[in-house]
Amino acid sequence: MNNVQYAFVLRRLATILAVAILSLSLTAAVTGILLSFYYEPTAGGAYNSLREIKSEIPNGWLIQRLHEIAGNGLIGTSLIAIVVMFLGEKFRRSWLTAWISGILLTLVAIALGWTAMLLDWTQLGYWRFTIELGTVEAVPGIGSLLREILTGGGAINTVTVAHLYTLHSYILSIGALILAVIHLGGLLLQEKEEKQTLIESEAKFS
Ligand code: HEM
């Protein structure tokens, strides 16, 4: 494969991945909103409401599973997109817009997965969060402030679930949607600019 074909394949692949990223973000957002109709963001209530969603609400298990697949799929796809974009780097404005938004989106997707850790209020989630909170607290300078924000000041309890739920379902999910749109927009602009360059070079040599 020559260089022109290689660059074309990478550019197209990045655009296709950006479409997948936006679709996964939308799927996660819609299924998240559907989950929120029955989900109860309290200690204990979270576990019981999710059990009810999975076993008693019609198609609840499907919505919960779709949310899980879309959310985790978003992390994987955005990581692959970063590698593809790195290999096909262009350093023009459209590429840079997609590159920066892609990196931020990956970080936001990982943060969405992280904030969901305690949302099911299981033993595994609780103890994993307890250990990771220790790491957060060890961040120099802002560690104790971050702990306060996440837990609400005291132990891991209903306030912590409510704080993580707010970060997850409002702040981070809206951030992910905005970044996914900017990422796709940058790559579509790149496609347009490449097409224009091709037309101009063809006109020059004909
Ligand atoms: C771009 C949007 C979103 C993404 C990428 C996302 C991602 C995730 C991920 C990765 C998980 C963990 C799934 C697992 O491995 O078990 C999760 C769980 C959860 N999310 Fe979201 N989420 C989004 C939006 C929302 C919204 C808008 C809400 C509610 C209004 C929401 C509510 C929940 C709840 C209640 C859980 C816990 C469900 C469980 O553990 O089974 N999410 N989300």
Side-chain angles (χ1 to χ4, degrees):
M1 211 186 322
N2 66 34
N3 275 351
V4 179
Q5 277 174 324
Y6 182 65
F8 173 80
V9 169
L10 285 174
R11 208 174 56 240
R12 258 310 130 81
L13 194 56
T15 312
I16 292 167
L17 285 170
V19 174
I21 284 172
L22 183 60
S23 312
L24 288 169
S25 305
L26 284 169
T27 309
V30 171
T31 50
I33 292 167
L34 291 175
L35 281 179
S36 73
F37 286 125
Y38 293 96
Y39 177 75
E40 196 189 314
T42 60
Y47 179 83
N48 289 329
S49 60
L50 274 172
R51 202 190 43 196
E52 204 179 297
I53 288 171
K54 285 189 240 177
S55 59
E56 284 167 40
I57 311 292
N59 296 320
W61 66 272
L62 184 64
I63 304 294
Q64 190 271 339
R65 196 85 183 93
L66 271 178
H67 191 74
E68 198 181 315
I69 293 170
N72 290 311
L74 180 63
I75 300 174
T77 315
S78 50
L79 282 170
I80 296 170
I82 284 187
V83 176
V84 171
M85 284 204 70
F86 176 76
L87 295 174
E89 92 279 352
K90 273 285 181 199
F91 299 118
R92 60 157 69 120
R93 195 178 290 178
S94 54
W95 180 87
L96 211 58
T97 310
W99 173 247
I100 294 169
S101 55
I103 289 178
L104 290 176
L105 178 70
T106 309
L107 294 175
V108 169
I110 292 170
L112 273 157
W114 193 82
T115 50
M117 188 192 329
L118 197 68
L119 293 186
D120 56 2
W121 198 258
T122 54
Q123 283 283 334
L124 185 70
Y126 181 88
W127 291 110
R128 205 187 126 196
F129 187 73
T130 308
I131 293 165
E132 296 194 9
L133 199 58
T135 314
V136 170
E137 209 174 353
V139 175
I142 53 165
S144 47
L145 175 71
L146 287 177
R147 191 191 197 281
E148 291 265 316
I149 295 171
L150 290 171
T151 60
I156 299 169
N157 53 29
T158 288
V159 183
T160 318
V161 177
H163 281 201
L164 290 178
Y165 183 61
T166 304
L167 284 172
H168 182 95
S169 56
Y170 298 108
I171 302 168
L172 293 171
S173 61
I174 292 171
L177 283 175
I178 294 172
L179 287 167
V181 171
I182 297 173
H183 183 68
L184 180 60
L187 286 168
L188 288 177
L189 192 65
Q190 176 176 254
E191 292 276 357
K192 210 173 139 190
E193 283 171 358
E194 283 292 331
K195 210 170 164 187
Q196 193 62 35
T197 315
L198 199 74
I199 292 168
E200 278 167 17
S201 62
E202 269 174 7
K204 217 158 119 187
F205 291 111
S206 62

